[in-house]
Amino acid sequence: MSDSVPAELTGGWSPLVRRVLRGGEELVANLALAAMVLLPLAEIVVRPVLSGGVPGSIAFVQHLTLWVGFLGAALAAREGKLIALATATFIPEGRTRRATAVFAAFVGSAVCTILATAAYQLVLFDKEDGTMLAAGVPVWVAQLVLPVAFSVIALRLVWRASPGWVGRTMAFAGVLIGLWLGLTEYVLDGVTLWPLIALVLAAAVLGAPIFTILGGAAVLLYMGDGDLPVIVAIETYGLNIQPHLPAIPLFTLAGFILAQGNASERLLRVFRAGVGWIPGGTAIVCVLLCAFFTVFTGGSGVTILALGGLLFPALLKDGYRDRFSLGLLTASGSLGLLFPPAMPLILYAIVAQVAPADLFVAGVAPGILLIVLTAAWGVREGMLTGAGRRRFGWPEFRAAVWEAKWELSIPFVVLGVLFSGFATLVETAAVTAFYAALIQGVIHRDFTLGKGLREAFTECVVLVGGVLIILGVAVGFTAYLVDAEVPFRLVEWAEANIGSRLMFLLGLNIFLLLVGCVMDIFSAIFVVVPLIVPVAEQFGIHPLHLGIIFIANLELGFLTPPVGLNLFLASYRFDRPLLEVYRASVPLLVILGFGVLVITYVPWLTLGLLEWLGRI
Amino acid sequence: QRGTRIQLGSVLPANSVWDKALKEMASEWQRETDGRVQLRVLPGSVKDEGSLARRLKAGRPQAAVFALPGDIDEAFNVLSIPFFFESDEETFHVVEKLTPTFEKVLADQGLVLLNWGHAGWAQFFTADRVETFDELKRTKVYTAAGDEKMLQWYKRNGFDPQPLAVTDVLLGLNTGLIDAYPTAPYVALLFQWYDKTPYMLDVPISPVLGITVVAERTWNRVSEEDQRALRASAKRVEQNLFRDVPAQDRQAIVEMESRGLTVVELDDDAKASFRVIADRLTASWRGTMIPADVYDHAVRERNAFRASR
Ligand code: NA
Ligand code: NA
């Protein structure tokens, strides 16, 4: 961003000062994340010795998540990585593109400024009440990160609006309007809202970050009812201190540390040696490897970005057709979301208030089904094309397994620690991140510890920040729906209009497919789950089954044109036109769609293992 | 003219006895004021009571139920001192005498006290049979993460508390991270926690008393005549709740006993020695977790009630 600005315009900022500021910002975020790893580890060690464990550690880790999330969001804004609808990329380059970018930044920074004033109000509330966090630290100090991050993001949206000062000045008007709306009490009471909401939606279509749609809708709806926008900030804060939330950055960190090292190469060798002899073996290898990584990195599409460069050439070299390979990798980028400890499972457990450990068990069989179906498509391709197969050899398999033994032990370590009685979910996540760093940085020495970890930490913070800021405002939007009694009305409507369980499930499948087209999986969980849970309860659907249906269905959404995230990422990563990616993914969309129907209508697949274990 | 709309937020599960009582109150309010006051009950609308207190301050919802009012003001902690009260009668007597104090601390925060709610008595559920204080102290007992004062109290008195998020209780029980927890029988049944803790010590720890409050600025929009009717209705609901909740707890215990729960009854000697230690422990709350004057007042009223028996 600063490259496009002539040096004389950056004033007295010497490059050194700028570098220190930039580095300092990353350092603070990375230190917060490091503390999130170390505190739960200390807790495990100290607990048997010192009654009560490390004083206040759970409260501190929860608030560190708030810091990591919002410092990460500010960093994402600096790098232009805040998640946005990809529709803006369709706008032709040139004058129109430049004008729409300024408009998007104008609306986005206005919303972000209102959110900053709301968060500032929250800080004043807790300062006045004198609520304490632990060990003498007041809550308002921890909350300060919210108004600061929202303000910084608003300014960064303005800065990135345009390379020139005219565009930036126009975008900056958004900040002033945001200040006026945010600081004038009851200014929108009774005002007709739809033009404003339409403005926010238009800005999102033209490239404003997704969080500004949900956050904008939330603050505007509350303000239109004569309420204060601080309500949205209260909900944002309330989400970020949810007890299981810290597990998400920690597991994601483990994924990034593995990606930073050579874990993917070692695992690729194992899977090749193990299943490469089957027709379509390389395809199966890709499916397994992608699933393994997605479990840790979540449905963020990171898998395609991180592994695409390794796997696409491997498939082509082994004689798989181009379109098949493109489709397979596009779809594989979201396989694995049903296996523990994937991010969507933890989020669903938080929102629907079910035990994460139970949801982990519930996802195993449906997850295997989707992998088997995708692998079967690979086998078919292997038979048709006679793509390269290798002979199975014990010596190579043994050698490959031995080389990758540490990486292969990770799933056992995660589940072992979780069910051992030594650790909670968050502590297990911290152990996983620490273990990944130990394997990649110390045992294998894939990277120099300082540099490698710093890069993995920064990438993790930016990704988690981009996701958490969406979730943070999505809960504000959901809170409005609850206050407007929408879930209650939905139950009434469903009782009157939906005749049977079967009809409900079919309706749910279609509804979720549509949701998946327009919403990312994380916002969908936060906005839609609270609405669906009471209705599903009415039709006797088990909440764990509902969770798996929900996530499996939204997995499809990653592949559904026009806005499926995987489609865009694949188009970007493999440098192919979007239409070509659409066409390549259609067969897999059909196959996975079949799998989702099976998961929906055969509850035993989800609940059977739990019943057998005596957990339900 | 449109009536005064009041939304009531809570963390209570929908369709719990308490939630049902509030909905009953809502229809009474509608009826008795001819729709001039409309109460909308939103159970489970927030996830934690800290957020609820902030939301109340922000102006929406305009009314709320707090099951742990100690979060609003320390004076309410007097109700949750372990082993301070022995029975509902004793508790109600003290609550009645202290109500002016409570009303005053709420008024300082712009809130009006409408009525009291009851979610049953907390009891200790344990994995192994427990009959004495020493045995109780050897358990790994769950305490709510973030409740630093309760944690310190346990530690000062030689317990082995394990701070956990409430969502981790089931996992903790399954893996042995904790093997004891205090809770109302209805809650142990609802969340299926009792599976791993087949013993319930029949010494009541403390009543789980909550409050219904409404924002003063909303309340003042209601005419005095309507206010009187609403208060009377709230009082009736409170009385019904205080009648139904103990029954619900008894029913929960019977249900759990049929599925293998053992209620550990203490003989009179054991009870007496329990009481001696308990009295010493409760005194440590004075001035640290409860304002000293409130604590002294409560002790005076409780002892007077016991003496009158
Ligand atoms: Na936890
Ligand atoms: Na506690």
Side-chain angles (χ1 to χ4, degrees):
Chain A
M1 57 176 191
S2 48
D3 302 340
S4 47
V5 184
E8 61 269 23
L9 287 183
T10 52
W13 296 87
S14 72
L16 181 67
V17 172
R18 272 227 316 280
R19 255 210 336 268
V20 168
L21 275 179
R22 288 172 71 96
E25 190 180 353
E26 278 163 33
L27 186 69
V28 175
N30 289 353
L31 285 178
L33 184 57
M36 283 186 68
V37 178
L38 296 176
L39 267 176
L41 289 178
E43 182 84 3
I44 299 176
V45 177
V46 165
R47 187 159 40 215
V49 190
L50 187 74
S51 164
V54 181
S57 84
I58 296 180
F60 280 123
V61 170
Q62 284 167 0
H63 284 80
L64 282 167
T65 314
L66 188 74
W67 278 65
V68 167
F70 278 82
L71 291 173
L75 280 173
R78 189 182 83 186
E79 309 296 329
K81 283 185 179 165
L82 283 171
I83 302 171
L85 293 179
T87 36
T89 57
F90 291 116
I91 302 164
E93 297 273 357
R95 183 183 269 273
T96 330
R97 184 92 168 246
R98 288 199 298 275
T100 53
V102 169
F103 169 74
F106 164 77
V107 176
S109 63
V111 168
C112 209
T113 306
I114 300 178
L115 289 168
T117 62
Y120 180 66
Q121 184 69 55
L122 170 73
V123 171
L124 293 184
F125 273 16
D126 277 83
K127 197 169 175 192
E128 192 184 300
D129 281 355
T131 35
M132 296 305 273
L133 184 55
V137 180
V139 165
W140 70 267
V141 173
Q143 289 169 338
L144 267 182
V145 73
L146 282 170
V148 170
F150 277 126
S151 309
V152 169
I153 293 169
L155 293 175
R156 283 184 168 153
L157 289 177
V158 169
W159 183 261
R160 297 184 63 89
S162 159
W165 289 99
V166 179
R168 284 180 188 161
T169 309
M170 285 159 70
F172 187 74
V175 172
L176 298 178
I177 291 180
L179 277 176
W180 172 62
L181 288 176
L183 296 176
T184 321
E185 286 191 0
Y186 311 116
V187 63
L188 291 182
D189 189 1
V191 169
T192 312
L193 283 178
W194 66 260
L196 291 175
I197 303 261
L199 215 58
V200 169
L201 281 174
V205 169
L206 298 176
I210 285 182
F211 86 88
T212 55
I213 318 178
L214 291 162
V219 285
L220 290 175
L221 286 166
Y222 271 120
M223 289 166 80
D225 276 8
D227 287 306
L228 302 174
V230 64
I231 295 177
V232 177
I234 294 171
E235 295 291 333
T236 305
Y237 171 73
L239 160 79
N240 275 281
I241 57 167
Q242 286 290 304
H244 287 141
L245 202 68
I248 288 173
L250 292 171
F251 281 126
T252 308
L253 176 63
F256 275 110
I257 291 173
L258 291 175
Q260 187 74 24
N262 300 326
S264 45
E265 282 83 356
R266 279 188 286 272
L267 288 167
L268 180 62
R269 187 178 164 204
V270 174
F271 291 139
R272 267 200 161 145
V275 298
W277 56 273
I278 305 173
T282 313
I284 303 177
V285 167
C286 292
V287 170
L288 293 177
L289 193 59
C290 287
F292 188 96
F293 267 84
T294 307
V295 164
F296 291 103
T297 50
S300 49
V302 177
T303 310
I304 294 178
L305 298 179
L307 298 181
L310 177 72
L311 298 180
F312 198 51
L315 281 166
L316 295 182
K317 194 171 135 246
D318 285 354
Y320 292 85
R321 286 177 293 185
D322 185 82
R323 189 190 286 181
F324 166 84
S325 310
L326 184 61
L328 183 81
L329 289 178
T330 307
S332 300
S334 59
L335 286 174
L337 290 183
L338 292 178
F339 293 109
M343 178 148 47
L345 291 173
I346 300 175
L347 286 177
Y348 180 89
I350 290 174
V351 175
Q353 296 188 302
V354 298
D358 285 345
L359 200 60
F360 288 172
V361 177
V364 170
I368 291 176
L369 174 73
L370 294 185
I371 284 190
V372 167
L373 286 174
T374 317
W377 178 246
V379 172
R380 178 187 169 275
E381 173 74 8
M383 308 261 255
L384 277 182
T385 61
R389 289 161 64 174
R390 50 201 74 229
R391 291 242 303 267
F392 180 78
W394 272 110
E396 164 61 9
F397 184 63
R398 259 199 309 270
V401 167
W402 185 249
E403 198 200 352
K405 59 183 177 300
W406 295 106
E407 281 89 358
L408 289 171
S409 70
I410 293 174
F412 299 97
V413 169
V414 172
L415 296 177
V417 171
L418 185 60
F419 292 103
S420 66
F422 293 112
T424 62
L425 179 68
V426 171
E427 288 158 10
T428 304
V431 169
T432 310
F434 186 78
Y435 189 60
L438 197 70
I439 294 172
Q440 305 294 296
V442 178
I443 298 178
H444 285 305
R445 296 174 188 242
D446 285 343
F447 44 72
T448 50
L449 267 183
K451 185 168 176 293
L453 288 183
R454 198 174 64 235
E455 282 172 15
F457 270 61
T458 304
E459 284 179 51
C460 172
V461 166
V462 169
L463 173 78
V464 166
V467 172
L468 284 190
I469 195 170
I470 296 179
L471 299 187
V473 296
V475 287
F477 180 67
T478 311
Y480 180 80
L481 295 183
V482 171
D483 283 346
E485 298 171 30
V486 173
F488 173 72
R489 273 171 220 176
L490 215 56
V491 171
E492 276 190 337
W493 179 86
E495 273 178 340
N497 292 291
I498 301 179
S500 69
R501 191 186 150 106
L502 213 65
M503 250 178 81
F504 168 74
L505 284 174
L506 194 65
L508 183 68
N509 281 143
I510 295 168
F511 174 67
L512 288 180
L513 201 61
L514 292 175
V515 168
C517 288
V518 296
M519 234 186 231
D520 66 288
I521 198 165
F522 311 110
S523 333
I525 288 176
F526 275 83
V527 174
V528 182
V529 170
L531 307 182
I532 295 291
V533 166
V535 184
E537 204 172 281
Q538 211 63 226
F539 287 97
I541 317 278
H542 196 286
L544 294 171
H545 186 206
L546 182 71
I548 300 301
I549 294 175
F550 199 91
I551 295 165
N553 233 302
L554 292 178
E555 264 193 61
L556 278 188
F558 280 89
L559 284 180
T560 324
V563 289
L565 181 66
N566 281 9
L567 302 170
F568 286 110
L569 290 173
S571 157
Y572 164 79
R573 185 71 182 81
F574 305 122
D575 200 19
R576 299 297 172 87
L578 206 47
L579 275 178
E580 197 182 320
V581 181
Y582 286 176
R583 213 168 44 200
S585 317
V586 167
L588 285 142
L589 188 61
V590 173
I591 292 169
L592 292 175
F594 169 75
V596 169
L597 290 178
V598 172
I599 292 169
T600 308
Y601 297 103
V602 186
W604 171 85
L605 200 62
T606 304
L607 303 174
L609 187 56
L610 283 158
E611 275 166 20
W612 184 70
L613 290 171
R615 293 187 77 95
I616 53 169
Chain B
Q1 187 204 324
R2 214 168 127 226
T4 307
R5 259 178 82 85
I6 304 177
Q7 288 189 318
L8 186 148
S10 78
V11 298
L12 303 175
N15 299 321
S16 57
V17 170
W18 197 341
D19 174 51
K20 281 182 185 157
L22 290 167
K23 285 183 175 140
E24 199 182 292
M25 185 167 92
S27 44
E28 273 195 24
W29 283 22
Q30 166 91 17
R31 220 171 33 238
E32 300 213 352
T33 62
D34 284 327
R36 285 186 300 279
V37 176
Q38 290 163 15
L39 183 68
R40 302 292 302 172
V41 180
L42 305 174
S45 56
V46 284
K47 295 242 175 341
D48 63 290
E49 295 197 336
S51 292
L52 189 55
R54 292 183 186 96
R55 290 282 309 263
L56 207 52
K57 202 164 172 175
R60 185 164 180 181
Q62 302 80 20
V65 160
F66 289 92
L68 295 166
D71 283 349
I72 305 185
D73 192 281
E74 289 197 327
F76 289 98
N77 278 336
V78 78
L79 303 168
S80 47
I81 307 174
F83 311 116
F84 188 80
F85 295 114
E86 278 179 336
S87 67
D88 270 336
E89 293 75 23
E90 192 173 293
T91 313
F92 298 160
H93 174 82
V94 174
V95 162
E96 201 188 311
K97 297 290 179 191
L98 264 65
T99 292
T101 309
F102 294 136
E103 280 175 338
K104 191 181 167 309
V105 301
L106 288 174
D108 288 345
Q109 307 198 27
L111 299 173
V112 175
L113 177 67
L114 280 180
N115 67 11
W116 292 86
H118 200 334
W121 281 76
Q123 314 265 161
F124 271 113
F125 289 77
T126 55
D128 299 312
R129 195 181 176 90
V130 163
E131 292 185 350
T132 66
F133 242 111
D134 282 337
E135 285 167 350
L136 194 58
K137 284 180 181 177
R138 280 198 292 272
T139 62
K140 286 185 274 180
V141 61
Y142 157 76
T143 178
D147 190 348
E148 209 56 28
K149 289 183 165 178
M150 193 68 212
L151 180 71
Q152 295 309 325
W153 180 82
Y154 273 126
K155 281 163 72 173
R156 255 201 318 277
N157 290 299
F159 285 86
D160 185 14
Q162 306 291 328
L164 282 184
V166 65
T167 40
D168 278 334
V169 168
L170 202 54
L171 178 73
L173 286 170
N174 273 314
T175 58
L177 205 59
I178 52 173
D179 56 18
Y181 55 88
T183 197
Y186 168 71
V187 176
L189 178 65
L190 184 71
F191 293 135
Q192 311 257 312
W193 291 349
Y194 71 94
D195 258 1
K196 300 286 165 190
T197 49
Y199 297 96
M200 188 191 98
L201 182 61
D202 193 26
V203 178
I205 307 170
S206 62
V208 183
L209 289 187
I211 52 174
T212 312
V213 293
V214 60
E216 209 168 61
R217 56 173 177 270
T218 308
W219 186 244
N220 289 344
R221 286 208 297 272
V222 178
S223 72
E224 279 190 23
E225 192 191 334
D226 281 347
Q227 281 184 3
R228 266 193 299 280
L230 298 186
R231 277 192 186 282
S233 159
K235 207 71 201 164
R236 277 196 301 279
V237 166
E238 174 184 304
Q239 281 157 0
N240 292 347
L241 197 57
F242 280 26
R243 181 196 64 213
D244 293 345
V245 161
Q248 177 183 252
D249 265 357
R250 280 194 299 276
Q251 215 178 339
I253 293 172
V254 171
E255 175 75 29
M256 287 187 284
E257 277 185 314
S258 76
R259 301 194 213 168
L261 182 81
T262 305
V263 176
V264 180
E265 309 260 10
L266 298 187
D267 59 33
D268 286 346
D269 282 353
K271 269 188 185 156
S273 61
F274 218 98
R275 173 61 46 210
V276 172
I277 301 171
D279 277 342
R280 211 177 58 228
L281 297 191
T282 58
S284 67
W285 283 66
R286 182 182 187 277
T288 58
M289 287 176 269
I290 302 163
D293 55 333
V294 177
Y295 181 88
D296 293 341
H297 189 185
V299 172
R300 235 174 14 250
E301 293 297 345
R302 184 199 64 180
N303 293 349
F305 181 85
R306 282 183 187 170
S308 74
R309 281 291 164 116

